[in-house]
Amino acid sequence: MGLELYLDLLSQPCRAIYIFAKKNSIPFELRTVDLRKGQHLSDAFAQVNPLQKVPVLKDGDFILTESVAILLYLARKYEVPDHWYPRDLQASARVDEYLAWQHTALRRNCLRALWHKVMLPVFLAEPVSPEMLAATLAELDMALQVLEGKFLQDKAFLTGPHISLADLVAITELMHPVGAGCQVFKGRPKLAAWRQRVEAAVGEVLFQEAHEVILKAKDSQPADPTLKQKMLPKVLAMIQ
Amino acid sequence: MGLELYLDLLSQPCRAVYIFAKKNRIPFELRTVDLLKGQNHSDDFVQVNPLRKVPALKDGDFTLAESVAILLYLARKYEAPDHWYPQDLQARARVDEYLSWQHTALRMSCTRAMWQKMMFPGFLGQRVPPETLANTLAELDRCLQLLEDKFLKDQDFLAGPRISVADLVAITELMHPVSAGCDIFKSRPKLAAWRQRVEAAVGEDLFREAHAVIMKAKDLPPADTAVKERLKPLAQLFL
């Protein structure tokens, strides 16, 4: 059995990995783990990842979690073009800096925006107060300001003149609130221009393919009560 | 001007960077940024890190934020021994996996435990509801279980047989609740044994030196009104 990637394209980090693997023609078996059907909670999947999360990589006996670790592993093992994670000391530091910052900043805010605006009310039938949603969107706005002001600035891509892992991780994050109907690029021409460049570098067809699921998030079927009961506490812990 | 490291040893990630640099004899100027005094908001420091956080690195004109990025930069630039961040593909992946996981797991629960048990009541004179503290300590306990079961397992160190940056990042986190009086190693013999190994690998003197500030945090005199006002936003984050 070759490389297996356990993914649900509903998930931001899964999209980044999917795009990266496809773009670099890395051969893999896609193992879809449908989060909205609770497949991540199955006994079978627990054998792969006892933490019950996606994405997961399985390469023979080697199992790896954490999207950043997976992206770096793939980049190294498959010797992808240098710009994805440059050899240059300062250039790779810039990518590391973004990949570290995003966990508790943009990632968190994009996740909360999707769940507070769409997934909690639509999928889990859990109302979210307007104040909570407003606070979340305000935090997202601040993170977008940092993304533009500290990371992008006047560069073509987040960490330099070429696309890197940082851009993949960031763009897939931003498609989360976009999928929820938030117009994150409106009034942000710099960011909108960067998005165009990233999509062009990735390839429009691949980009659209990776984002088909999230763009239909608001059409999610409500979870049945048993699944809701199992998922709700985990979701609340995930988005805290 | 050579390498400058902007640190406050009150902060877990600063301790990891400090220990790594000292252990590997990396020459640097220590620029102390006193967080409780709000020095991270000074105009000078904002030039170094507009995110107003420590640790931060300045190497000539190059500035860098984020402790994980700083550790990897130092490891590469100063060609630290391989075990800190191994060349081997899978060994390195294990370190990356830990460094990624900890941001939203152990890091959060250790910070909350320390602030809720010690800094809010002691330093800021702010009451923390017992249920809040209890939830935080339960979450910390879950993270410690994961640390043991998923990362440490039966290995000597988190990512394999030798100490790596993952162990430095983890041990400095765990000293946060320890400094607040949480006896996290009691009834966790595996973790306690790992701690001994990490301290021995780092060196007892360096380990103690790096933790002098945090271990004395419980003796800080209560903050004055100005400090309390300034640190109010932290309450939103850590409560």
Side-chain angles (χ1 to χ4, degrees), chain A residues 49 51 59 62-69 72-73 76-77 85 87 89-94 96-104 108 146 150-151 240, chain B residues 49-51 53 59 62-66 68-69 72-73 76-77 85 89-94 96-101 103-104 108 112 139 146 150-151:
Chain A
N49 184 13
L51 294 186
D59 197 359
F62 182 66
I63 294 178
L64 187 64
T65 63
E66 293 295 326
S67 61
V68 169
L72 294 174
Y73 177 86
R76 288 169 181 138
K77 179 169 180 179
Y85 190 67
R87 288 195 71 89
L89 182 69
Q90 292 189 3
S92 59
R94 286 278 162 253
D96 290 333
E97 188 186 48
Y98 182 79
L99 295 179
W101 172 82
Q102 55 86 24
H103 286 281
T104 52
R108 180 175 174 273
V146 176
K150 177 187 159 59
F151 292 99
Q240 67 166 343
Chain B
N49 185 9
L51 297 175
K53 290 181 174 184
D59 197 359
F62 181 68
T63 57
L64 188 64
E66 293 296 331
V68 169
L72 298 184
Y73 177 85
R76 288 170 176 139
K77 180 170 179 178
Y85 192 58
L89 184 68
Q90 291 188 5
R92 178 167 289 197
R94 286 279 165 250
D96 289 334
E97 189 183 41
Y98 182 77
L99 294 179
S100 179
W101 173 82
H103 284 281
T104 51
M108 274 212 315
R112 286 200 175 129
E139 180 55 34
L146 274 176
K150 177 178 164 60
F151 293 101

Side-chain angles (χ1 to χ4, degrees), chain B residues 70-217:
Chain B
I70 291 170
L71 286 166
L72 298 184
Y73 177 85
L74 293 176
R76 288 170 176 139
K77 180 170 179 178
Y78 297 90
E79 294 173 334
D82 182 74
H83 62 81
W84 288 112
Y85 192 58
Q87 286 283 348
D88 176 76
L89 184 68
Q90 291 188 5
R92 178 167 289 197
R94 286 279 165 250
V95 179
D96 289 334
E97 189 183 41
Y98 182 77
L99 294 179
S100 179
W101 173 82
Q102 57 87 23
H103 284 281
T104 51
L106 196 63
R107 169 99 215 253
M108 274 212 315
S109 59
C110 286
T111 303
R112 286 200 175 129
M114 193 280 261
W115 277 81
Q116 290 175 13
K117 192 157 196 287
M118 181 168 72
M119 297 300 277
F120 283 125
F123 183 63
L124 294 178
Q126 196 173 332
R127 186 186 169 269
V128 176
E131 318 82 64
T132 308
L133 179 59
N135 285 340
T136 294
L137 295 178
E139 180 55 34
L140 174 59
D141 203 63
R142 268 190 292 274
C143 286
L144 293 175
Q145 197 60 51
L146 274 176
L147 185 66
E148 279 197 23
D149 295 342
K150 177 178 164 60
F151 293 101
L152 185 58
K153 296 186 285 205
D154 290 310
Q155 302 171 124
D156 276 354
F157 295 95
L158 292 181
R162 304 198 59 192
I163 192 172
S164 73
V165 291
D167 301 282
L168 278 192
V169 169
I171 197 70
T172 50
E173 289 299 337
L174 294 189
M175 293 306 287
H176 239 45
V178 165
S179 74
C182 299
D183 209 344
I184 56 173
F185 294 104
K186 182 178 171 184
S187 81
R188 288 186 182 279
K190 229 184 185 182
L191 218 56
W194 162 78
R195 174 205 180 158
Q196 296 307 324
R197 287 191 291 272
V198 173
E199 281 193 45
V202 162
E204 303 288 344
D205 285 348
L206 174 56
F207 192 86
R208 213 172 304 126
E209 185 190 319
H211 288 93
V213 170
I214 195 64
M215 293 309 288
K216 286 189 292 206

Side-chain angles (χ1 to χ4, degrees), chain B residues 21-56:
Chain B
K22 287 277 187 179
K23 179 70 183 169
N24 288 287
R25 301 191 206 292
I26 294 170
F28 68 94
E29 290 283 341
L30 174 64
R31 302 273 178 241
T32 298
V33 180
D34 191 319
L35 295 173
L36 298 180
K37 290 194 178 130
Q39 289 177 358
N40 49 315
H41 296 291
S42 76
D43 291 337
D44 282 345
F45 184 65
V46 170
Q47 296 299 309
V48 178
N49 185 9
L51 297 175
R52 299 163 190 250
K53 290 181 174 184
V54 285

Side-chain angles (χ1 to χ4, degrees), chain B residues 120 124 126 226-237:
Chain B
F120 283 125
L124 294 178
Q126 196 173 332
V227 173
K228 281 186 193 173
E229 266 309 302
R230 194 174 17 83
L231 296 182
K232 241 186 185 166
L234 282 184
Q236 315 296 9
L237 280 179

